[in-house]
Structure formats: structure tokens, C-alpha cells
């Protein structure tokens, strides 16, 4: 049985905001901003990196990062609950900084990918940050703090295309990785100096066999999903990864039911609040990922091609269109924190409202995406939905899961989000590639694949359906969430303190 060491169930102290807490929050928020913009900035550098190393495997720069993030998440979550969330967060930042340094100095493409794999440890910073905030911040500041931490990621995102373009054009692609390395060191030091360690602990052994089965299963499934479209779904490699991944995940489920102290307690995962939160949040993140992928393709397509969409802007010009979305995400996150913390509005309601608003945003973009002004307005509407959804997720998990299991449970929800987000994006591009390719010669498009206006309409409507499914899952959450209990060394009262020896 797992045993816990805690000072009780109340987070942090009874005080309010202090300068040290503000620095702590800003440091973690900026760290998550670096994580958020790294996808876009590295994507901008893929053409120059591929040309430099003479490779056609540039997609691995993103895939390697995502794979390692999904694989290591459950293990890092468990380690955080057992040994301390701050320790594991700082360790992840350190490994990521080393990975960025290796990428900056990489003499070959293989070494560069190895560096990106190490940088993937940073993905755990999302759930580690808000789990740590839950433990150390005063109770009345937690809702706003976690909301800002998860949605404040739009601040740097506004400037990221300009910064990335300037670094690549002026100093080459390696400058991006130097930037990431320096930023990670600076923010890591700020967190070290301003953020205390959580006193909450879970006494438990690490199920390394379960970790290997779960990590390998997730990795195999994500590889199949990522490369199935290019390899072919009937290709032997695709089928091998997909079937092998499913088998490994099945073995992990069997193991988790038999092991005394599994990596993930399936009893917690099966609980209605946790399971439905994972589903709802996955469609929120999936919708956000879909917009991130589709909108640059729509907006940057030359208007001269007369496809019914496209404004012919470059990567820097796209930043202007992205600005309303980034701003509304931040504002909605702040609103969520204030409504939960001061008005006692249930986060399940805000998540459902946010996903319905996201569905409306998708539907509006599907109907009208050839007007610059309207498209920017509709992106702002979608940003409101994303901001409400993002900031509600940690607040629901904080309400449903005890602090001793916070990082472990959040890491599994994060892994489910990665898989469902990948499946949603894959579904959209499968539909586009099979039915809606624009009949334009490759020499005109310089080898890029363009889709018809009807194709993008269908793609955005798929996003609408996904957001509605997520909203219905959020509405399925119980009105009053009963927190799952954890075993203790006392008479059975889960909130009773247990003294550490």
C-alpha cells in the first residue's frame, strides 16, 4: 500500500500574494511559455536544418520531442509525488537545457535528434508546475495562479514568430537552440531561488516494469500515428508499431491490476471525474493543436492561387493574425482563475462553456475564412474557448485528486491528451489528403500540398465536432466532485497529517 507524508490537505499557507510568490509564478509561467513557443520556432527552422544536414527527416525534430515528453511523463509524475515536485521540475529543466546545448553544437543530424529527445523532458513542466503551485501557494491564490500558469503561455507566443525569424535569418538555426538553453538556465535558476519544495509526499516504490511497458506502448502508438500517413497504413512498419504498441499497453494494464504499487493507480484513472476530465481536456488540446497546424496553411497560402482562401503572408506576417487568439487565451485564463477563486464557479462549468465556445469558433472559421478581419475575430473567439478550457483542467484535477497523487494523475491525463490530439490531427489530414487536394501542379506550389476550400471547411467542422464531444464530456462531470482517497498511516482519515521520520 502507498503511504503518504503530508501536513494536511490545505495548500500552502493562509496568506496572500508576496513578492517571492509573484516571482515564483512568473518564473514557472515563462518556463511554460518557452515550452509552448518551442514547437513553432523549431518548425520554422526545419527547412534550413534539413538543408544543412541534407536530410528529409526534419519532422523528427518535433516528433522526438513529443515522443519523449509522452513517454517520460508518467514516470516523472510518480517520481515527483514520491521525491518532491520541485526537485523533479528542476531536474527536467536541467536535462532540457543540456539537450538544447547538444542541439546547438550538434555535428550531425543524429546528435541533433538526441538533443531534441533530452529537451522533451520539458513537456512534464506543465503538470509539475501546477501540481507544485497547488502544494505551496496560499489556498485563495491557487485557482488564479494555476490558470495564469497554463494560459499565460500566450505572452511570448505573440513575439515568437518575429523572434524565431530574426534569429534564423541573422544567426542561423543553431541560434534557436542557444536561445532555449540560456532561457532554460535563467528560468530554472529563478525557480530554484523563489520556489520552495512541496512537503507533500507519497511513500511508494517505483514500478519500473510498468513504466517500461507504458512508455514503450505509448511511443509505438504515437510513431504509428505520426508516420502512418507517409509510410502507408498497410505498411508492415506501421502495423508493427501500432499492433506492438497496443499489445504493450494491454500488458501494462494487466500488470497495473496485479502489482501492489503500480505506476498508475487504475482505480484513480477509472473514476468518473478523472476519466471525463482526460477526455474533455484532450479535445481541448486537440482543437488547439488543429488550429495551430491549419491556420498558418490557410493564411500563408498565396491569394493569387484563387483557392477561396489565403492572404500570402510570411511567417512574421502570420503573427498579426495570431495575436487576437493569444490575447484572448490569456484573458480567459485570468477570468477563469478569478471566477473559481472569488465567485466559486465550478471549473467543470467553465470547461464546458469554453469547449462550446471553441466549437463556435471552429464553425465560424469553417463558414468564413476569406476575410482578414473576420478571421482574426473568429480566432479570438476560439482563443476564449481554449483559455477557459486550458485553465479549467488543472483546477478540476486539483479538486478531484489529492495532492499526494496530483503529479502522477496529471501526467497520465497529459499522455492521453497527446494521443487523442495526435489522432484528431491525423484524422483531419487523412480526410484532406484522400478527398480534398487542390489540382495545382507541384512546380507552382514548389512541392507543397494545397487543399481545396471545401477541404478546409470540412477540417474545421471536424474540429467543431471534437470540441462538442469535449464539452459533453465536461458536462458529464458530477456537480460536486468527490475527491479520491489515499491510504495513510493513521486511522484512515485521508486528511490526517502523518509525520515524516
Amino acid at each position: 500500500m502507498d503511504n503518504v507524508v503530508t501536513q494536511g490537505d490545505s495548500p500552502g499557507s493562509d496568506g496572500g500574494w508576496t513578492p517571492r510568490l509573484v516571482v515564483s509564478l512568473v518564473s514557472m509561467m515563462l518556463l511554460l511559455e518557452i515550452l509552448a513557443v518551442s514547437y513553432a520556432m523549431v518548425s520554422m527552422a526545419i527547412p534550413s536544418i534539413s538543408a544543412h544536414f541534407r536530410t528529409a527527416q526534419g519532422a523528427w525534430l518535433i516528433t522526438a520531442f513529443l515522443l519523449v515528453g509522452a513517454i517520460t511523463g508518467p514516470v516523472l509524475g510518480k517520481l515527483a509525488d514520491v521525491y518532491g515536485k520541485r526537485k523533479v521540475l528542476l531536474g527536467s529543466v536541467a536535462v532540457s537545457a543540456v539537450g538544447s546545448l547538444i542541439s546547438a553544437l550538434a555535428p550531425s543530424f543524429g546528435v541533433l535528434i538526441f538533443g531534441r529527445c533530452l529537451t522533451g523532458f520539458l513537456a512534464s513542466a506543465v503538470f509539475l508546475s501546477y501540481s507544485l503551485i497547488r502544494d505551496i501557494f496560499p489556498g485563495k491564490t491557487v485557482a488564479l495562479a494555476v490558470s495564469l500558469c497554463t494560459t499565460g503561455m500566450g505572452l511570448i507566443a505573440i513575439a515568437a514568430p518575429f523572434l524565431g525569424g530574426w534569429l534564423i535569418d541573422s544567426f542561423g538555426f543553431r541560434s534557436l537552440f542557444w536561445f532555449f538553453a540560456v532561457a532554460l538556465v535563467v528560468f530554472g535558476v529563478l525557480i530554484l531561488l523563489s520556489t520552495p519544495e512541496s512537503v507533500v509526499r507519497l511513500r511508494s516504490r517505483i514500478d519500473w516494469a510498468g513504466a517500461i511497458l507504458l512508455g514503450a506502448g505509448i511511443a509505438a502508438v504515437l510513431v504509428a500515428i505520426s508516420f502512418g500517413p507517409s509510410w502507408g497504413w498497410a505498411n508492415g512498419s506501421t502495423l508493427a508499431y501500432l499492433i506492438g504498441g497496443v499489445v504493450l499497453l494491454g500488458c501494462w494494464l494487466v500488470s497495473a491490476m496485479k502489482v501492489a504499487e503500480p505506476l498508475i493507480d487504475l482505480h484513480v484513472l477509472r473514476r468518473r471525474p478523472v476519466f471525463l476530465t482526460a477526455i474533455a481536456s484532450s479535445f481541448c488540446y486537440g482543437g488547439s493543436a488543429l488550429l495551430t497546424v491549419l491556420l498558418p496553411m490557410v493564411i500563408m497560402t498565396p491569394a493569387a492561387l484563387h483557392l477561396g482562401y489565403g492572404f500570402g503572408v510570411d511567417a512574421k506576417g502570420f503573427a498579426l493574425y495570431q495575436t487576437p487568439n493569444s490575447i484572448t487565451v490569456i484573458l480567459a485564463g485570468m477570468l477563469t482563475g478569478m471566477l473559481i477563486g472569488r465567485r466559486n464557479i465550478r471549473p467543470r462549468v467553465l470547461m464546458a462553456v469554453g469547449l462550446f465556445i471553441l466549437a463556435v469558433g471552429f464553425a465560424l472559421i469553417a463558414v468564413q475564412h476569406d476575410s482578414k478581419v473576420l478571421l482574426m475575430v473568429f480566432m479570438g473567439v476560439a482563443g476564449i474557448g481554449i483559455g477557459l478550457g486550458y485553465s479549467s483542467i488543472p483546477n478540476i484535477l486539483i479538486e478531484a485528486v489529492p495532492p499526494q497523487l496530483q503529479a502522477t494523475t496529471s501526467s497520465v491525463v497529459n499522455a492521453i491528451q497527446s494521443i487523442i490530439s495526435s489522432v484528431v490531427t491525423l484524422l483531419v489530414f487523412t480526410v484532406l489528403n484522400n478527398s480534398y487536394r487542390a489540382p495545382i501542379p507541384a512546380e507552382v506550389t514548389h512541392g507543397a500540398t494545397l487543399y481545396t476550400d471545401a477541404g478546409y471547411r470540412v477540417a474545421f467542422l471536424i474540429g467543431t465536432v471534437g470540441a462538442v464531444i469535449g464539452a459533453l464530456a465536461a458536462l458529464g462531470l458530477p456537480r460536486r466532485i468527490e475527491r479520491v482517497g489515499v491510504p495513510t498511516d493513521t486511522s484512515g482519515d485521508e486528511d490526517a497529517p502523518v509525520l515524516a521520520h
Side-chain angles (χ1 to χ4, degrees), residues 278-288 290 351-352 354-360 362-363 420-421 423-425 427-428 458-474:
I279 299 301
S281 64
S282 294
F283 282 104
C284 182
Y285 276 88
S288 176
L290 199 57
M351 174 180 273
L355 282 161
F356 276 124
I357 293 176
L358 177 58
V360 170
F362 265 116
I420 293 183
S421 297
V423 170
V424 169
T425 304
L427 173 63
V428 167
V458 170
F460 289 120
L461 288 176
I462 291 174
T464 302
V465 173
V468 170
I469 293 173
L472 293 176

Side-chain angles (χ1 to χ4, degrees), residues 302-356:
L305 295 176
H306 302 292
L307 291 171
Y309 63 88
F311 309 115
V313 302
D314 57 15
K316 294 179 181 178
F318 174 70
L320 177 63
Y321 292 86
Q322 196 176 16
T323 299
N325 181 270
S326 300
I327 292 174
T328 52
V329 166
I330 299 169
L331 294 177
M334 295 175 63
L335 177 64
T336 300
M338 290 187 290
L339 289 176
I340 294 174
R342 298 179 183 178
R343 302 295 182 182
N344 202 29
I345 304 295
R346 311 309 297 176
R348 63 177 283 275
V349 175
L350 295 174
M351 174 180 273
V353 170
L355 282 161
F356 276 124

Side-chain angles (χ1 to χ4, degrees), residues 104-115:
L105 299 171
S108 67
F109 188 69
V111 175
L112 177 59
I113 294 301
F114 174 69

Side-chain angles (χ1 to χ4, degrees), residues 358-369:
L358 177 58
V360 170
F362 265 116
L364 291 172
I365 295 173
V367 173
Q368 182 78 44
H369 47 259

Side-chain angles (χ1 to χ4, degrees), residues 44-45 48 161-176 314-316:
M44 292 172 62
S48 57
F162 300 102
L163 177 61
W166 175 70
L167 287 173
I168 295 169
D169 293 342
S170 303
F171 306 103
F173 70 86
R174 295 183 187 276
S175 62
L176 287 182
D314 57 15
K316 294 179 181 178

